[in-house]
């Protein structure tokens, strides 16, 4: 063994006796995660309340965590709070249960299969854009959320219509905010205590459940509504003993897909616009690419491949504003990770948001420069130096899906309308909830594309 590793003692910021570094984390989680990398390099040791944990920035150590040693870890324990509403679906479950469901849904997310969704994705964007008109002031973040939500509903579950979106998204907004708040607390008030906040939280959870169960019942009554879609595959799946999934299990898988699949993409797209609308040169290059490649036609799965600058704009937006800004794993047994000895139950965190700001791989890291992704940047830097979709067997199953829908939506919005930030729009701040959102959204004024 090399001696550096043997003598390596991870360092971290000194915290208070009781809360450790929790106050610094709660005050500004994003800055906290960036400072750790700047001050401690590839790995830092922190304490949030009684729990000491590692935060990893080094790409090789991340690779070991997420690929070579992934069997020794489960998704972060601290996300248990989220399990209350997300349940025990593919993103949160462990072991055999996770493998089984992931295998079941994987065929719906291959590059080849995703291409078949391109037409539906474009139809949904078009339908949304038909509601817009020059001169309107709109919340682009809300509009984009409508689009990404409707895309999941239609492509995976064959659901049409705004009523599903409303019935799920409204309670979800309440839950998202409260869940993030609870996760940041050292000891959140147990849910059985009838505080006003707890009551609102539980009511939203109930309403979300009702909506998802209603979707399930409707499909079970009318299986022909979505033959061959992901929901029908989940409903028909049997385990080795011939047992199907329970309603609770189906509810959990459905919920995961809605949540993992719509908010992250919506955020990434909103962030992309927040940069584009402040950098006319980027907007000009996008139009140049759309005109050259598409000549006014809608983007398709085939032309997607040629929209490389558009893709790079999205890669760069996700570099500076990684929607999944931090996540992690908890060890299920004592395990060595590079020079670290991770104890059973101990957590190892990583922050794509902070990792993406390393000047070694991204010179001038604060600048929005889509060109940096040209000439196969991702092949020239270590695999885990850029990781908006995580990686390994628990990485994002929807990465190709997300890229395709984001390129289609960005392109079609830009082809049809010219957007301007609403007059007096303040700088767009970051709001780290379950995902990294533009705080207070993005308000725009719609102009005609030729105007
Ligand atoms: C810009 C869009 C997206 C981003 C940035 C993103 C990011 C991520 C990340 C970082 C993870 C891994 C988390 C971890 O390792 O702890 C993840 C997991 C996951 N994502 Fe995405 N995601 C996006 C879009 C989607 C879409 C569109 C879907 C589905 C349609 C999806 C479904 C999932 C699922 C099911 C998992 C859990 C995988 C597992 O644990 O096996 N995501 N995502």
């Amino acid at each position: 063994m090399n001696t550096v590793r043997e003598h390596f003692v991870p360092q971290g910021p000194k915290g208070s006796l009781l809360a450790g570094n929790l106050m610094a984390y709660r005050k500004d989680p994003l800055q906290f995660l960036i400072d750790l990398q700047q001050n401690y390099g590839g790995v830092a040791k922190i304490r949030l309340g009684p729990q000491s944990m590692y935060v990893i920035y080094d790409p090789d150590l991340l690779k070991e965590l997420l690929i070579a040693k992934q069997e020794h870890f489960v998704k972060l324990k601290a996300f248990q709070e989220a399990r209350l509403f997300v349940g025990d679906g593919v993103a949160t479950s462990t072991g055999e249960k996770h493998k089984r469901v992931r295998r079941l849904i994987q065929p719906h997310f291959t590059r080849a299969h995703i291409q078949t969704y391109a037409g539906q994705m474009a139809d949904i964007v078009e339908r949304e854009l038909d509601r817009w008109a020059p001169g309107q002031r709109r919340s682009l973040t809300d509009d984009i959320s409508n689009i990404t939500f409707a895309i999941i509903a239609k492509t995976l579950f064959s659901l049409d219509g705004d009523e599903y979106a409303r019935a799920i998204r409204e309670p979800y907004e309440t839950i998202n905010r409260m869940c993030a708040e609870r996760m940041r607390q050292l000891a959140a008030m147990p849910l059985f205590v009838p505080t006003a906040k707890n009551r609102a939280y539980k009511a939203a959870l109930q309403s979300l459940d009702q909506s998802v169960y209603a979707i399930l019942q409707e499909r079970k009554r009318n299986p022909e509504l979505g033959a061959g879609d992901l929901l029908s595959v989940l409903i028909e799946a049997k385990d080795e003993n011939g047992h199907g999934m329970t309603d609770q299990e189906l509810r959990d898988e459905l919920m995961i897909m809605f949540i993992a699949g719509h908010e992250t993409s919506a955020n990434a797209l909103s962030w992309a616009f927040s940069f584009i609308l402040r950098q006319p040169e980027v907007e000009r290059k996008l139009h140049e690419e759309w005109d050259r490649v598409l000549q006014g036609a809608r983007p398709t799965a085939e032309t997607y491949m040629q929209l490389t600058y558009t893709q790079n704009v999205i890669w760069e937006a996700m570099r500076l504003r990684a929607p999944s800004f931090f996540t992690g794993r908890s060890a299920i047994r004592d395990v060595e990770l590079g020079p670290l000895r991770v104890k059973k139950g101990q957590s190892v965190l990583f922050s794509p948001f902070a990792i993406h700001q390393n000047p070694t791989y991204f010179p001038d890291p604060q600048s929005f420069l889509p060109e940096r992704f040209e000439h196969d940047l991702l092949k020239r830097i270590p695999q885990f130096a850029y990781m908006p979709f995580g990686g390994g067997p628990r990485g994002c199953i929807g990465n190709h899906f997300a890229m395709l829908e984001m390129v289609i939506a960005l392109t079609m919005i830009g082809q049809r309308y010219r957007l301007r930030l609403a007059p007096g729009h303040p700088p767009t701040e970051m709001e780290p909830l379950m995902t990294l959102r533009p705080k207070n959204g993005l308000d725009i004024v719609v102009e005609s594309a030729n105007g």
Side-chain angles (χ1 to χ4, degrees):
M1 267 302 276
N2 92 36
T3 48
V4 176
R5 287 190 156 211
E6 276 172 17
H7 296 294
F8 180 84
V9 182
Q11 305 292 321
K14 209 168 147 28
S16 72
L17 192 63
L18 220 55
N21 310 110
L22 192 70
M23 299 314 279
Y25 176 75
R26 271 164 64 174
K27 191 165 160 239
D28 189 345
L30 299 171
Q31 196 56 47
F32 178 74
L33 291 163
I34 288 182
D35 289 348
L36 284 181
Q37 173 165 232
Q38 268 170 7
N39 298 333
Y40 304 98
V43 54
K45 190 169 186 182
I46 60 166
R47 190 160 62 78
L48 299 181
Q51 322 277 352
S52 90
M53 40 190 100
Y54 298 111
V55 188
I56 296 190
Y57 297 92
D58 177 77
D60 292 336
L61 264 190
L62 282 164
K63 193 169 178 178
E64 197 174 328
L65 172 73
L66 297 176
I67 298 182
K69 302 255 174 87
Q70 60 89 19
E71 294 282 349
H72 305 286
F73 294 91
V74 291
K75 289 267 167 105
L76 195 62
K77 284 262 170 56
F79 285 160
Q80 298 296 351
E81 183 67 44
R83 273 175 111 146
L84 258 181
F85 75 94
V86 174
D88 204 18
V90 65
T92 44
S93 58
T94 54
E96 277 313 306
K97 178 170 184 194
H98 168 260
K99 278 195 195 135
R100 197 168 76 82
V101 179
R102 178 122 185 173
R103 229 178 286 130
L104 207 58
I105 65 180
Q106 190 78 50
H108 287 259
F109 290 98
T110 59
R111 268 180 205 269
H113 194 81
I114 274 158
Q115 297 201 346
T116 65
Y117 299 144
Q120 288 175 336
M121 290 173 173
D123 287 345
I124 285 165
V125 179
E126 198 159 296
R127 192 182 69 196
E128 179 68 30
L129 294 182
D130 285 344
R131 299 175 181 157
W132 300 16
Q136 284 176 341
R137 184 184 163 123
R138 306 189 63 93
S139 162
L140 185 63
T141 29
D142 283 355
D143 289 335
I144 287 177
S145 261
N146 284 341
I147 291 176
T148 59
F149 194 95
I151 286 179
I152 296 285
K154 179 71 188 170
T155 55
L156 304 184
F157 307 127
S158 310
L159 297 168
D160 275 313
D162 293 338
E163 69 275 21
Y164 290 112
R166 254 197 315 279
I168 291 180
R169 273 186 49 212
E170 277 172 18
Y172 172 67
E173 283 299 313
T174 312
I175 292 166
N176 190 357
R177 219 158 269 283
M178 291 193 171
C179 189
E181 200 178 296
R182 291 173 66 86
M183 275 165 67
R184 277 190 222 160
Q185 285 163 359
L186 186 52
M189 186 67 82
L191 271 184
F192 62 79
V193 183
T195 60
K197 276 192 176 175
N198 278 354
R199 279 203 303 270
Y201 190 42
K202 279 164 90 170
L205 281 169
Q206 241 172 22
S207 145
L208 192 63
D209 269 359
Q210 271 169 8
S211 307
V212 176
Y213 281 123
I215 292 173
L216 270 177
Q217 295 321 322
E218 161 103 10
R219 175 57 70 82
K220 284 189 170 176
R221 273 196 305 272
N222 305 297
E224 72 288 352
L225 288 179
D229 70 1
L230 184 63
L231 183 52
S232 66
V233 167
L234 292 171
I235 290 177
E236 283 157 26
K238 300 268 182 287
D239 65 16
E240 56 282 5
N241 303 318
H243 298 137
M245 286 192 198
T246 62
D247 276 1
Q248 165 87 43
E249 287 171 324
L250 287 167
R251 170 250 179 234
D252 290 353
E253 298 303 343
L254 218 77
M255 193 80 93
I256 287 274
M257 283 301 159
F258 272 126
I259 292 168
H262 102 273
E263 181 169 326
T264 39
S265 309
N267 287 341
L269 258 182
S270 296
W271 284 119
F273 275 107
S274 86
F275 291 111
I276 297 165
L277 298 182
R278 292 183 168 96
Q279 284 183 224
E281 182 56 13
V282 174
E283 196 174 4
R284 191 193 63 72
K285 286 187 176 172
L286 282 169
H287 278 279
E288 186 279 319
E289 178 167 275
W290 298 332
D291 291 346
R292 179 170 44 79
V293 174
L294 302 171
Q295 294 163 13
R298 272 180 15 168
T300 61
E302 292 73 37
T303 45
Y304 163 86
M305 301 302 289
Q306 297 166 51
L307 296 171
T308 50
Y309 185 74
T310 315
Q311 290 180 38
N312 289 344
V313 165
I314 290 170
W315 289 124
E316 178 68 342
M318 290 197 293
R319 183 186 70 77
L320 274 168
R321 300 288 184 267
S324 203
F325 68 99
F326 102 106
T327 174
R329 301 288 182 267
S330 300
I332 50 176
R333 55 184 72 91
D334 290 356
V335 53
E336 287 190 9
L337 194 65
L340 308 175
R341 276 157 209 221
V342 185
K343 295 217 175 67
K344 181 177 173 183
Q346 199 171 16
S347 295
V348 181
L349 313 182
F350 54 96
S351 164
F353 170 80
I355 289 165
H356 294 172
Q357 308 206 16
N358 185 342
T360 310
Y361 306 115
F362 305 103
D364 191 8
Q366 289 310 313
S367 295
F368 183 80
L369 298 170
E371 291 76 7
R372 69 170 91 236
F373 282 86
E374 285 171 7
H375 311 296
D376 286 334
L377 172 75
L378 297 181
K379 292 197 180 135
R380 290 183 278 119
I381 61 176
Q383 183 183 359
F384 288 99
Y386 181 72
M387 51 176 316
F389 294 113
R394 300 303 304 250
C396 184
I397 203 169
N399 54 350
H400 303 310
F401 183 108
M403 280 307 289
L404 182 63
E405 72 171 330
M406 290 190 288
V407 165
I408 288 179
L410 175 56
T411 303
M412 289 179 68
I413 294 173
Q415 283 176 313
R416 179 106 170 243
Y417 298 107
R418 206 153 272 250
L419 309 185
R420 296 285 161 248
L421 283 175
H425 201 293
T428 309
E429 286 175 35
M430 294 179 268
E431 185 174 38
L433 291 177
M434 296 293 287
T435 59
L436 185 58
R437 292 180 166 197
K439 194 171 182 179
N440 303 324
L442 205 61
D443 288 337
I444 48 133
V445 175
V446 181
E447 292 175 5
S448 110
N450 313 315

